[in-house]
Amino acid sequence: MSTRGRSAVAGLACAAVAIGVAELAAAVVTPASAPVVAVGAAVITFTPEPVKEFAIAVFGVYDKLALVAGIGLILAIIAAVIGVACARRPWIGYGGLAGFGLLGVVAAVTRPGSSPWWALPSLIGVLAAMLALRLVFRRRVALDGPETARPPVPGRDVDRRGVLIGFGVAGVAGLAGWRVGGTDDIERIRSTIELPRARSVGPSAVGKALDVKGITPYLTDTANDGFYRIDTALTLPRIDPGKYRLRIGGRVAEPLSLSYQELLDLPLVEREITLSCVSNEVGGELAGTARWLGVPLKDLLDMVKPDAGADQIVGRSADGWTCGTPTKVCSDGRDAMLAVGMDGEPLPIRHGFPVRMLVPGLYGYVSATKWLVELELSSFDDFDAYWVRRGWDAEAPIKTFSRIDTPTATKRVKPGRTPVAGIAWAQRRGIGAVEVRVDDGDWREAELAPVISTDTWRQWVLAWDATPGRHRLEVRATDESGDTQPEKRVTPFPNGATGWHSVLVNVE
Ligand SMILES: Nc1nc2c(c(=O)[nH]1)N[C@H]1C(S)=C(S)[C@@H](COP(=O)(O)O)O[C@H]1N2
Ligand SMILES: [Mo]
């Protein structure tokens, strides 16, 4: 390898030491204080809306993975370049490390809910990396015997053993940090929780689903991570239910603070509800249906007695994310709740353990705060929540949606009777009809699966006599108030996508 190549690898080794050691230190402080995570979180906070929308459109639920990979790649390139420069001018290396350390510190201590301690992982990581730099780039010495010694060429040599040790230290520290900083401890506590039974169990459509190959199942497979996850959290908030408190305050007559157990002791309801994300594109998969167990939000508001003008409930997450929900969802009969259970188990950590909010009929960003720690009664005039500050609508009821699950564009279809099937939803209004057309022909009405309420999605199926050739299938749904999905495509920003889903299929 050339001298340059070696120097670049040495630069990478030093950066790896910084990241690995910082990761380990962060596991002790708190995982969110790790520099890459903190910088990533800051990037999420400051990224302009169109870029964020692009990221969700391209990477979907892998947007966070893409972000961390992107940061890693940029870091690696800069580290390699600095490594090369460092062989001649070591101060560039120290300066570069100090710069990155500062970036990590600033990002960490400006995170919501952070403390000055959050600076530590970045500082310790950078100090370790400076030490590594000292060991890896050695002053060039004369290699010949004493008699033939020539003065050394200015510059530095790379100590290969030092580089290997650097990568080793980085790997071990990083792995240890990852083990210690995981959610294992909270997961253990979660697995011992026995939730009380619901006082009121709603009707169920389980067992009434359509039997069509390839159709979205009625209940989402939450246990196997089948339920979509969307949030701004790079590290999952870890909340010990034993220390958990929910504060309910703001414009109320009687503020309240409840422990997890006190919440569980209130009368619970269980309901099947479909949750969906405003970022879901036409044909997208950012929605899921589960059996939710929780405390009716109305019961809690009755306890605190909101002021008449408090038209917005602001939900706060343990990681500082905020969400604004119209207070009136508590008085129109819908099952708005603080959920503690999902499909018979305590909420999974990724879905908001120990407590999250859920409001049928509203997109997640205006209703479904995960890792919920505070409800503040406020007004829409007084407060803009996280996504509202970034231009999304303050109020966002879920729009009618329909999707063709089968056939797909990639599967070969044989001529003859073929089921065209999928799902549709229009929470609060209910799905009245689903229609399908082939190649701009007549719209034909699909058969609908039985439903238990307006708040869950509805499967549908239509028998199609497929003829050889290439065909375009289109779907549109009509809600029970008679409104049909508009054909016009609009993007998810700022209040949800519209348009008919279509697929091109090859019949042969
Ligand atoms: N704390 C917190 N809660 C959150 C979010 C978030 O970023 N942070 N995102 C919301 C959005 S945009 C959606 S669509 C739902 C998704 O819930 P899920 O991840 O359980 O499917 O959570 C909501 N609750
Ligand atoms: Mo969302």
Side-chain angles (χ1 to χ4, degrees):
M1 200 187 285
S2 68
T3 317
R4 264 172 185 239
R6 277 203 298 273
S7 304
V9 174
L12 280 175
C14 294
V17 167
I19 301 296
V21 170
E23 196 63 36
L24 180 55
V28 180
V29 178
T30 185
S33 66
V36 173
V37 169
V39 169
V43 170
I44 292 179
T45 307
F46 295 113
T47 302
E49 206 42 48
V51 181
K52 224 173 315 200
E53 222 193 318
F54 168 82
I56 291 185
V58 175
F59 301 112
V61 292
Y62 298 107
D63 56 342
K64 285 190 274 287
L65 194 64
L67 173 66
V68 171
I71 291 176
L73 187 69
I74 292 171
L75 208 62
I77 293 171
I78 297 177
V81 170
I82 289 183
V84 173
C86 206
R88 287 238 147 184
R89 299 184 190 82
W91 61 265
I92 292 183
Y94 292 107
L97 282 172
F100 278 114
L102 192 66
L103 189 68
V105 167
V106 170
V109 300
T110 52
R111 292 291 83 218
S114 66
S115 76
W117 291 107
W118 288 35
L120 266 187
S122 296
L123 290 176
I124 294 175
V126 160
L127 286 179
M130 286 181 171
L131 199 69
L133 195 138
R134 223 181 112 86
L135 294 175
V136 164
F137 290 97
R138 287 182 177 281
R139 202 176 295 281
R140 199 162 279 167
V141 289
L143 295 175
D144 303 340
E147 301 91 75
T148 55
R150 289 171 275 113
V153 192
R156 310 244 156 177
D157 277 326
V158 170
D159 180 347
R160 289 181 207 205
R161 232 186 39 179
V163 169
L164 281 181
I165 294 173
F167 278 122
V169 168
V172 171
L175 273 179
W178 181 63
R179 286 275 323 150
V180 178
T183 44
D184 286 5
D185 47 343
I186 303 297
E187 193 54 68
R188 247 193 318 278
I189 296 173
R190 176 183 170 269
S191 68
T192 63
I193 292 173
E194 291 223 19
L195 293 174
R197 275 168 185 277
R199 187 80 61 90
S200 145
V201 178
S204 174
V206 173
K208 300 176 188 160
L210 294 179
D211 183 22
V212 180
K213 206 172 152 222
I215 200 171
T216 300
Y218 169 67
L219 268 195
T220 306
D221 190 2
T222 306
N224 294 309
D225 284 354
F227 205 101
Y228 81 101
R229 174 186 165 202
I230 289 284
D231 52 59
T232 60
L234 273 179
T235 49
L236 289 170
R238 305 188 302 168
I239 301 176
D240 178 349
K243 298 182 187 137
Y244 177 81
R245 303 251 16 134
L246 171 72
R247 299 177 306 277
I248 312 180
R251 293 167 62 172
V252 300
E254 296 170 33
L256 183 68
S257 162
L258 291 167
S259 69
Y260 184 60
Q261 192 56 50
E262 285 167 335
L263 268 175
L264 295 190
D265 290 342
L266 295 171
L268 303 179
V269 299
E270 189 168 61
R271 300 284 187 266
E272 289 169 7
I273 297 167
T274 299
L275 172 65
S276 56
C277 179
V278 69
S279 297
N280 196 38
E281 303 273 351
V282 172
E285 311 223 328
L286 299 180
T289 301
R291 216 148 42 84
W292 305 91
L293 175 75
V295 183
L297 195 56
K298 180 178 185 310
D299 294 357
L300 294 165
L301 290 206
D302 286 348
M303 291 161 85
V304 298
K305 304 190 174 59
D307 298 353
D311 63 1
Q312 177 175 227
I313 306 171
V314 174
R316 272 202 185 78
S317 156
D319 65 358
W321 187 82
T322 55
C323 170
T325 309
T327 310
K328 58 176 186 276
V329 300
C330 295
S331 50
D332 64 6
R334 71 179 93 190
D335 291 308
M337 64 167 88
L338 296 195
V340 291
M342 194 173 176
D343 294 336
E345 282 196 25
L347 280 179
I349 296 175
R350 60 206 300 272
H351 295 298
F353 180 78
V355 180
R356 79 172 303 169
M357 198 157 117
L358 199 76
V359 181
L362 299 184
Y363 285 123
Y365 84 102
V366 290
S367 67
T369 312
K370 304 191 275 188
W371 314 292
L372 180 76
V373 293
E374 186 186 348
L375 292 177
E376 185 198 339
L377 273 292
S378 177
S379 70
F380 281 101
D381 285 343
D382 287 348
F383 186 83
D384 286 339
Y386 186 93
W387 287 113
V388 178
R389 262 176 257 164
R390 290 157 175 82
W392 295 75
D393 280 6
E395 297 204 40
I398 294 175
K399 295 179 182 176
T400 305
F401 175 98
S402 58
R403 178 177 77 212
I404 300 169
D405 290 333
T406 180
T408 59
T410 48
K411 231 178 38 216
R412 233 182 66 210
V413 178
K414 291 206 190 72
R417 277 257 140 150
T418 307
V420 179
I423 46 166
W425 65 71
Q427 286 90 316
R428 286 281 82 201
R429 302 178 297 282
I431 288 292
V434 171
E435 298 165 289
V436 174
R437 72 174 178 186
V438 182
D439 301 327
D440 294 320
D442 293 333
W443 287 102
R444 290 174 56 208
E445 210 165 320
E447 177 198 335
L448 297 172
V451 276
I452 44 113
S453 84
T454 59
D455 296 335
T456 56
W457 58 25
R458 202 160 180 184
Q459 297 172 314
W460 56 266
V461 63
L462 179 79
W464 170 43
D465 288 315
T467 53
R470 199 168 159 75
H471 299 287
R472 183 177 151 89
L473 306 177
E474 276 176 298
V475 66
R476 68 176 188 192
T478 302
D479 67 20
E480 283 190 34
S481 59
D483 288 329
T484 301
Q485 281 182 276
E487 178 176 14
K488 186 175 183 309
R489 291 242 173 167
V490 306
T491 60
F493 185 82
N495 56 24
T498 65
W500 298 337
H501 183 219
S502 64
V503 288
L504 282 173
V505 292
N506 283 315
V507 182
E508 52 187 9

